[in-house]
Amino acid sequence: MSLTAYNNVPLPSWMYGTAWKKEATAQLVQHAVAAGFTAIDTANQLIHYQEALVGDALQTLAKQGITRESLFLQTKFTPVNGQDHRTPYDVKADLTTQVKQSFDSSLNHLHTDYLDSYVLHGPYTRYGLGAADWEVWAAIEELYQSGKAKMIGISNVTAEQLALLCKQAAHKPMVVQNRCYAALGWDKEIREICRAQGIIYQGFSLLTANREVLVAPDVRAIAQRFKAGVAQVIFRFAMQVGMLPLTGTTNPQHMKEDLQSDQFTLSPEDVERIETIGM
Ligand SMILES: NC(=O)c1ccc[n+]([C@@H]2O[C@H](COP(=O)([O-])OP(=O)(O)OC[C@H]3O[C@@H](n4cnc5c(N)ncnc54)[C@H](OP(=O)(O)O)[C@@H]3O)[C@@H](O)[C@H]2O)c1
């Protein structure tokens, strides 16, 4: 199954996230692809991600016959406020140059000449969008126009910022990647903008940001009814409301279980119960 954004580029309905995997990154990416994931999320940000080790895994997979074209690779430009001293760009360069340097470094790490999706890790400004955001977005749009990034997107964005970007950018994002809190109706306001604009909403930390939901009696009862795990119920819910879920599991058995979340269908009542559980 795949999802399609407004520019008609398809992306797989699941994504494996590589944050915080450290030295295990390459091994875990290989396990994830063996389990059936075809989309991988990373970032050129050494505090949290080992993008070069994702690249090592891709080289090993290529030797096993898994082609670049059969995988969907997504990485991010991380502004300086999200980096430590190991930036993949010259911090003294202008922002347009920083995006180009970071992008080229990502291509190098991942041994490819294009990315399926390139994401701005987060706006520089907390409220609205400032000059730095517009400059960086224009540099990212240029990568899209050149064909080197098949899709572009933004992460850690507010509804106000997303609406502004959709209204004023030459190319609105095709993907949004946000931490998804049940207390905010699972980011309902932003998901609604995405639905209206043909943007794919990617939800992350669906489990870790919602630990209270995982132990809620109603959710446990739903899981029991389907003889499924609670994590599977949350991922199934995410898919049924139109999200693309990310999983950050480090356990090959959980990888398989997460992918099997589409083997049952929640009732509209179950979906409504979970959607409103934290509100
Ligand atoms: N854009 C951003 O700023 C940003 C920020 C954070 C994350 N992300 C992306 O989102 C990805 C996922 O984030 P996350 O790691 O917070 O997501 P997550 O999937 O909510 O959390 C991972 C945790 O859930 C557990 N888990 C997963 N499947 C399970 C299952 N079937 N049963 C029981 N436990 C299960 C894992 O334990 P086990 O390892 O034991 O399975 C792990 O402790 C990251 O890797 C990254 O790519 C993006």
Side-chain angles (χ1 to χ4, degrees):
M1 208 184 100
S2 64
L3 300 162
T4 309
Y6 74 86
N7 68 339
N8 291 323
V9 173
L11 77 175
S13 56
W14 256 113
M15 200 168 267
Y16 182 68
T18 61
W20 312 302
K21 309 293 186 284
K22 300 184 179 162
E23 307 75 47
T25 300
Q27 183 86 61
L28 287 168
V29 169
Q30 288 171 57
H31 279 311
V33 172
F37 286 94
T38 56
I40 308 292
D41 177 74
T42 184
N44 206 344
Q45 180 202 32
L46 275 169
I47 313 177
H48 299 306
Y49 296 82
Q50 295 291 332
E51 190 181 54
L53 296 185
V54 174
D56 286 356
L58 298 174
Q59 285 193 314
T60 307
L61 289 164
K63 284 184 196 138
Q64 295 164 6
I66 307 218
T67 61
R68 163 71 185 89
E69 297 69 38
S70 65
L71 297 172
F72 185 100
L73 300 183
Q74 173 171 282
T75 191
K76 312 184 192 86
F77 169 76
T78 308
V80 72
N81 55 10
Q83 300 274 9
D84 60 14
H85 61 285
R86 298 166 294 172
T87 52
Y89 46 77
D90 176 2
V91 290
K92 294 203 187 87
D94 60 74
L95 295 174
T96 304
T97 306
Q98 289 184 17
V99 172
K100 282 189 187 139
Q101 290 178 346
S102 191
F103 187 84
D104 287 344
S105 152
S106 289
L107 293 183
N108 197 26
H109 286 156
L110 297 169
H111 313 290
T112 184
D113 56 5
Y114 73 95
L115 287 166
D116 297 282
S117 173
Y118 198 57
V119 172
L120 170 55
H121 213 147
Y124 288 75
T125 327
R126 194 147 175 213
Y127 302 101
L129 295 171
D133 298 309
W134 288 114
E135 182 177 345
V136 163
W137 189 254
I140 289 176
E141 284 175 327
E142 222 173 287
L143 294 167
Y144 174 63
Q145 276 163 332
S146 74
K148 287 184 184 169
K150 307 291 176 203
M151 297 179 115
I152 53 175
I154 188 161
S155 181
N156 299 303
V157 71
T158 66
E160 181 209 7
Q161 290 168 327
L162 180 59
L164 205 59
L165 199 56
C166 288
K167 198 166 160 214
Q168 293 183 14
H171 297 283
K172 62 187 179 187
M174 288 112 214
V175 302
V176 159
Q177 187 185 96
N178 265 10
R179 183 168 275 116
C180 199
Y181 291 103
L184 298 175
W186 307 86
D187 225 4
K188 193 163 190 185
E189 198 183 351
I190 296 195
R191 285 192 289 116
E192 276 172 5
I193 299 175
C194 289
R195 191 175 305 129
Q197 299 280 348
I199 297 169
I200 304 300
Y201 179 94
Q202 303 177 355
F204 68 79
S205 301
L206 285 158
L207 305 180
T208 45
N210 300 295
R211 293 188 193 277
E212 67 298 345
V213 175
L214 307 181
V215 293
D218 284 4
V219 175
R220 287 180 166 226
I222 293 170
Q224 268 168 14
R225 189 154 28 89
F226 289 103
K227 298 191 176 26
V230 168
Q232 289 179 312
V233 167
I234 300 305
F235 289 133
R236 185 61 180 139
F237 158 77
M239 289 181 222
Q240 283 187 231
V241 295
M243 258 187 237
L244 186 165
L246 283 109
T247 177
T249 182
T250 55
N251 178 325
Q253 182 56 33
H254 288 168
M255 289 176 187
K256 290 192 185 122
E257 283 172 20
D258 293 354
L259 283 168
Q260 283 165 1
S261 309
D262 63 358
Q263 293 186 355
F264 58 96
T265 302
L266 300 171
S267 69
E269 294 75 30
D270 293 335
V271 170
E272 196 190 335
R273 179 67 198 113
I274 298 171
E275 194 160 27
T276 53
I277 201 160
M279 299 174 81

